[in-house]
mmCIF file with all atom_site columns, all heavy atoms in Angstrom:
data_model
loop_
_atom_site.group_PDB
_atom_site.id
_atom_site.type_symbol
_atom_site.label_atom_id
_atom_site.label_alt_id
_atom_site.label_comp_id
_atom_site.label_asym_id
_atom_site.label_entity_id
_atom_site.label_seq_id
_atom_site.pdbx_PDB_ins_code
_atom_site.Cartn_x
_atom_site.Cartn_y
_atom_site.Cartn_z
_atom_site.occupancy
_atom_site.B_iso_or_equiv
_atom_site.pdbx_formal_charge
_atom_site.auth_seq_id
_atom_site.auth_comp_id
_atom_site.auth_asym_id
_atom_site.auth_atom_id
_atom_site.pdbx_PDB_model_num
ATOM 1   N N   . PHE A 1 226 ? -7.031  11.085 9.913  1.00 0.00 ? 226 PHE A N   1
ATOM 2   C CA  . PHE A 1 226 ? -6.787  12.576 9.833  1.00 0.00 ? 226 PHE A CA  1
ATOM 3   C C   . PHE A 1 226 ? -6.996  13.196 11.129 1.00 0.00 ? 226 PHE A C   1
ATOM 4   O O   . PHE A 1 226 ? -6.130  14.106 11.507 1.00 0.00 ? 226 PHE A O   1
ATOM 5   C CB  . PHE A 1 226 ? -7.869  13.210 8.830  1.00 0.00 ? 226 PHE A CB  1
ATOM 6   C CG  . PHE A 1 226 ? -7.919  14.679 8.748  1.00 0.00 ? 226 PHE A CG  1
ATOM 7   C CD1 . PHE A 1 226 ? -6.874  15.394 8.139  1.00 0.00 ? 226 PHE A CD1 1
ATOM 8   C CD2 . PHE A 1 226 ? -9.004  15.356 9.335  1.00 0.00 ? 226 PHE A CD2 1
ATOM 9   C CE1 . PHE A 1 226 ? -6.955  16.867 8.150  1.00 0.00 ? 226 PHE A CE1 1
ATOM 10  C CE2 . PHE A 1 226 ? -9.084  16.799 9.292  1.00 0.00 ? 226 PHE A CE2 1
ATOM 11  C CZ  . PHE A 1 226 ? -8.037  17.417 8.729  1.00 0.00 ? 226 PHE A CZ  1
ATOM 12  N N   . GLY A 1 227 ? -8.047  12.913 11.840 1.00 0.00 ? 227 GLY A N   1
ATOM 13  C CA  . GLY A 1 227 ? -8.289  13.531 13.155 1.00 0.00 ? 227 GLY A CA  1
ATOM 14  C C   . GLY A 1 227 ? -9.671  13.126 13.624 1.00 0.00 ? 227 GLY A C   1
ATOM 15  O O   . GLY A 1 227 ? -10.377 12.494 12.949 1.00 0.00 ? 227 GLY A O   1
ATOM 16  N N   . ASN A 1 228 ? -10.122 13.751 14.753 1.00 0.00 ? 228 ASN A N   1
ATOM 17  C CA  . ASN A 1 228 ? -11.412 13.391 15.321 1.00 0.00 ? 228 ASN A CA  1
ATOM 18  C C   . ASN A 1 228 ? -12.056 14.616 15.961 1.00 0.00 ? 228 ASN A C   1
ATOM 19  O O   . ASN A 1 228 ? -11.340 15.584 16.256 1.00 0.00 ? 228 ASN A O   1
ATOM 20  C CB  . ASN A 1 228 ? -11.406 12.222 16.215 1.00 0.00 ? 228 ASN A CB  1
ATOM 21  C CG  . ASN A 1 228 ? -10.576 12.546 17.471 1.00 0.00 ? 228 ASN A CG  1
ATOM 22  O OD1 . ASN A 1 228 ? -11.204 12.983 18.507 1.00 0.00 ? 228 ASN A OD1 1
ATOM 23  N ND2 . ASN A 1 228 ? -9.281  12.192 17.455 1.00 0.00 ? 228 ASN A ND2 1
ATOM 24  N N   . GLN A 1 229 ? -13.303 14.532 16.204 1.00 0.00 ? 229 GLN A N   1
ATOM 25  C CA  . GLN A 1 229 ? -14.142 15.598 16.698 1.00 0.00 ? 229 GLN A CA  1
ATOM 26  C C   . GLN A 1 229 ? -15.255 15.056 17.602 1.00 0.00 ? 229 GLN A C   1
ATOM 27  O O   . GLN A 1 229 ? -16.142 14.317 16.931 1.00 0.00 ? 229 GLN A O   1
ATOM 28  C CB  . GLN A 1 229 ? -14.631 16.469 15.567 1.00 0.00 ? 229 GLN A CB  1
ATOM 29  C CG  . GLN A 1 229 ? -15.499 17.671 16.055 1.00 0.00 ? 229 GLN A CG  1
ATOM 30  C CD  . GLN A 1 229 ? -16.079 18.514 14.919 1.00 0.00 ? 229 GLN A CD  1
ATOM 31  O OE1 . GLN A 1 229 ? -16.767 17.974 14.064 1.00 0.00 ? 229 GLN A OE1 1
ATOM 32  N NE2 . GLN A 1 229 ? -15.714 19.775 14.786 1.00 0.00 ? 229 GLN A NE2 1
ATOM 33  N N   . PRO A 1 230 ? -15.382 15.544 18.744 1.00 0.00 ? 230 PRO A N   1
ATOM 34  C CA  . PRO A 1 230 ? -16.576 15.105 19.559 1.00 0.00 ? 230 PRO A CA  1
ATOM 35  C C   . PRO A 1 230 ? -17.730 15.905 18.991 1.00 0.00 ? 230 PRO A C   1
ATOM 36  O O   . PRO A 1 230 ? -17.627 17.124 18.606 1.00 0.00 ? 230 PRO A O   1
ATOM 37  C CB  . PRO A 1 230 ? -16.318 15.552 20.938 1.00 0.00 ? 230 PRO A CB  1
ATOM 38  C CG  . PRO A 1 230 ? -15.251 16.616 20.869 1.00 0.00 ? 230 PRO A CG  1
ATOM 39  C CD  . PRO A 1 230 ? -14.497 16.254 19.591 1.00 0.00 ? 230 PRO A CD  1
ATOM 40  N N   . TRP A 1 231 ? -18.867 15.318 18.796 1.00 0.00 ? 231 TRP A N   1
ATOM 41  C CA  . TRP A 1 231 ? -20.105 15.905 18.162 1.00 0.00 ? 231 TRP A CA  1
ATOM 42  C C   . TRP A 1 231 ? -21.361 15.491 19.021 1.00 0.00 ? 231 TRP A C   1
ATOM 43  O O   . TRP A 1 231 ? -21.847 14.483 18.722 1.00 0.00 ? 231 TRP A O   1
ATOM 44  C CB  . TRP A 1 231 ? -20.229 15.399 16.691 1.00 0.00 ? 231 TRP A CB  1
ATOM 45  C CG  . TRP A 1 231 ? -21.153 16.252 15.933 1.00 0.00 ? 231 TRP A CG  1
ATOM 46  C CD1 . TRP A 1 231 ? -22.326 15.918 15.425 1.00 0.00 ? 231 TRP A CD1 1
ATOM 47  C CD2 . TRP A 1 231 ? -20.960 17.653 15.523 1.00 0.00 ? 231 TRP A CD2 1
ATOM 48  N NE1 . TRP A 1 231 ? -22.956 16.863 14.695 1.00 0.00 ? 231 TRP A NE1 1
ATOM 49  C CE2 . TRP A 1 231 ? -22.127 17.951 14.693 1.00 0.00 ? 231 TRP A CE2 1
ATOM 50  C CE3 . TRP A 1 231 ? -19.935 18.489 15.736 1.00 0.00 ? 231 TRP A CE3 1
ATOM 51  C CZ2 . TRP A 1 231 ? -22.251 19.254 14.157 1.00 0.00 ? 231 TRP A CZ2 1
ATOM 52  C CZ3 . TRP A 1 231 ? -20.073 19.796 15.099 1.00 0.00 ? 231 TRP A CZ3 1
ATOM 53  C CH2 . TRP A 1 231 ? -21.248 20.179 14.317 1.00 0.00 ? 231 TRP A CH2 1
ATOM 54  N N   . PRO A 1 232 ? -21.757 16.321 19.979 1.00 0.00 ? 232 PRO A N   1
ATOM 55  C CA  . PRO A 1 232 ? -22.727 15.964 20.958 1.00 0.00 ? 232 PRO A CA  1
ATOM 56  C C   . PRO A 1 232 ? -24.170 16.098 20.479 1.00 0.00 ? 232 PRO A C   1
ATOM 57  O O   . PRO A 1 232 ? -25.145 16.616 21.161 1.00 0.00 ? 232 PRO A O   1
ATOM 58  C CB  . PRO A 1 232 ? -22.445 16.911 22.104 1.00 0.00 ? 232 PRO A CB  1
ATOM 59  C CG  . PRO A 1 232 ? -21.969 18.066 21.371 1.00 0.00 ? 232 PRO A CG  1
ATOM 60  C CD  . PRO A 1 232 ? -21.186 17.734 20.204 1.00 0.00 ? 232 PRO A CD  1
ATOM 61  N N   . PHE A 1 233 ? -24.479 15.617 19.243 1.00 0.00 ? 233 PHE A N   1
ATOM 62  C CA  . PHE A 1 233 ? -25.808 15.673 18.740 1.00 0.00 ? 233 PHE A CA  1
ATOM 63  C C   . PHE A 1 233 ? -26.316 14.257 18.306 1.00 0.00 ? 233 PHE A C   1
ATOM 64  O O   . PHE A 1 233 ? -26.507 13.985 17.104 1.00 0.00 ? 233 PHE A O   1
ATOM 65  C CB  . PHE A 1 233 ? -25.877 16.652 17.537 1.00 0.00 ? 233 PHE A CB  1
ATOM 66  C CG  . PHE A 1 233 ? -25.411 17.964 17.862 1.00 0.00 ? 233 PHE A CG  1
ATOM 67  C CD1 . PHE A 1 233 ? -24.213 18.477 17.261 1.00 0.00 ? 233 PHE A CD1 1
ATOM 68  C CD2 . PHE A 1 233 ? -26.053 18.862 18.696 1.00 0.00 ? 233 PHE A CD2 1
ATOM 69  C CE1 . PHE A 1 233 ? -23.812 19.777 17.643 1.00 0.00 ? 233 PHE A CE1 1
ATOM 70  C CE2 . PHE A 1 233 ? -25.662 20.120 18.989 1.00 0.00 ? 233 PHE A CE2 1
ATOM 71  C CZ  . PHE A 1 233 ? -24.526 20.579 18.469 1.00 0.00 ? 233 PHE A CZ  1
ATOM 72  N N   . PRO A 1 234 ? -26.631 13.383 19.229 1.00 0.00 ? 234 PRO A N   1
ATOM 73  C CA  . PRO A 1 234 ? -26.519 13.642 20.663 1.00 0.00 ? 234 PRO A CA  1
ATOM 74  C C   . PRO A 1 234 ? -25.213 13.232 21.234 1.00 0.00 ? 234 PRO A C   1
ATOM 75  O O   . PRO A 1 234 ? -24.799 13.811 22.275 1.00 0.00 ? 234 PRO A O   1
ATOM 76  C CB  . PRO A 1 234 ? -27.660 12.839 21.223 1.00 0.00 ? 234 PRO A CB  1
ATOM 77  C CG  . PRO A 1 234 ? -27.762 11.660 20.342 1.00 0.00 ? 234 PRO A CG  1
ATOM 78  C CD  . PRO A 1 234 ? -27.415 12.132 18.995 1.00 0.00 ? 234 PRO A CD  1
ATOM 79  N N   . GLN A 1 235 ? -24.523 12.221 20.777 1.00 0.00 ? 235 GLN A N   1
ATOM 80  C CA  . GLN A 1 235 ? -23.444 11.732 21.472 1.00 0.00 ? 235 GLN A CA  1
ATOM 81  C C   . GLN A 1 235 ? -22.395 10.964 20.591 1.00 0.00 ? 235 GLN A C   1
ATOM 82  O O   . GLN A 1 235 ? -22.171 9.772  20.800 1.00 0.00 ? 235 GLN A O   1
ATOM 83  C CB  . GLN A 1 235 ? -23.873 10.779 22.643 1.00 0.00 ? 235 GLN A CB  1
ATOM 84  C CG  . GLN A 1 235 ? -24.934 9.756  22.227 1.00 0.00 ? 235 GLN A CG  1
ATOM 85  C CD  . GLN A 1 235 ? -25.828 9.349  23.297 1.00 0.00 ? 235 GLN A CD  1
ATOM 86  O OE1 . GLN A 1 235 ? -25.900 9.972  24.301 1.00 0.00 ? 235 GLN A OE1 1
ATOM 87  N NE2 . GLN A 1 235 ? -26.634 8.364  22.932 1.00 0.00 ? 235 GLN A NE2 1
ATOM 88  N N   . SER A 1 236 ? -22.032 11.617 19.510 1.00 0.00 ? 236 SER A N   1
ATOM 89  C CA  . SER A 1 236 ? -21.121 10.974 18.531 1.00 0.00 ? 236 SER A CA  1
ATOM 90  C C   . SER A 1 236 ? -19.650 11.471 18.682 1.00 0.00 ? 236 SER A C   1
ATOM 91  O O   . SER A 1 236 ? -19.377 12.451 19.265 1.00 0.00 ? 236 SER A O   1
ATOM 92  C CB  . SER A 1 236 ? -21.553 11.277 17.100 1.00 0.00 ? 236 SER A CB  1
ATOM 93  O OG  . SER A 1 236 ? -22.931 10.912 16.889 1.00 0.00 ? 236 SER A OG  1
ATOM 94  N N   . LEU A 1 237 ? -18.805 10.578 18.227 1.00 0.00 ? 237 LEU A N   1
ATOM 95  C CA  . LEU A 1 237 ? -17.387 10.972 17.928 1.00 0.00 ? 237 LEU A CA  1
ATOM 96  C C   . LEU A 1 237 ? -17.158 10.802 16.497 1.00 0.00 ? 237 LEU A C   1
ATOM 97  O O   . LEU A 1 237 ? -17.153 9.588  15.998 1.00 0.00 ? 237 LEU A O   1
ATOM 98  C CB  . LEU A 1 237 ? -16.465 10.056 18.782 1.00 0.00 ? 237 LEU A CB  1
ATOM 99  C CG  . LEU A 1 237 ? -14.926 10.333 18.590 1.00 0.00 ? 237 LEU A CG  1
ATOM 100 C CD1 . LEU A 1 237 ? -14.616 11.692 19.201 1.00 0.00 ? 237 LEU A CD1 1
ATOM 101 C CD2 . LEU A 1 237 ? -14.140 9.241  19.273 1.00 0.00 ? 237 LEU A CD2 1
ATOM 102 N N   . MET A 1 238 ? -16.801 11.791 15.763 1.00 0.00 ? 238 MET A N   1
ATOM 103 C CA  . MET A 1 238 ? -16.643 11.881 14.380 1.00 0.00 ? 238 MET A CA  1
ATOM 104 C C   . MET A 1 238 ? -15.104 11.549 14.119 1.00 0.00 ? 238 MET A C   1
ATOM 105 O O   . MET A 1 238 ? -14.259 12.438 14.562 1.00 0.00 ? 238 MET A O   1
ATOM 106 C CB  . MET A 1 238 ? -16.996 13.100 13.701 1.00 0.00 ? 238 MET A CB  1
ATOM 107 C CG  . MET A 1 238 ? -18.441 13.590 13.985 1.00 0.00 ? 238 MET A CG  1
ATOM 108 S SD  . MET A 1 238 ? -19.628 12.299 13.503 1.00 0.00 ? 238 MET A SD  1
ATOM 109 C CE  . MET A 1 238 ? -19.427 12.346 11.700 1.00 0.00 ? 238 MET A CE  1
#
Side-chain angles (χ1 to χ4, degrees):
F226 171 72
N228 68 86
Q229 178 185 61
W231 195 249
F233 303 113
Q235 48 209 10
S236 298
L237 178 68
M238 307 299 295

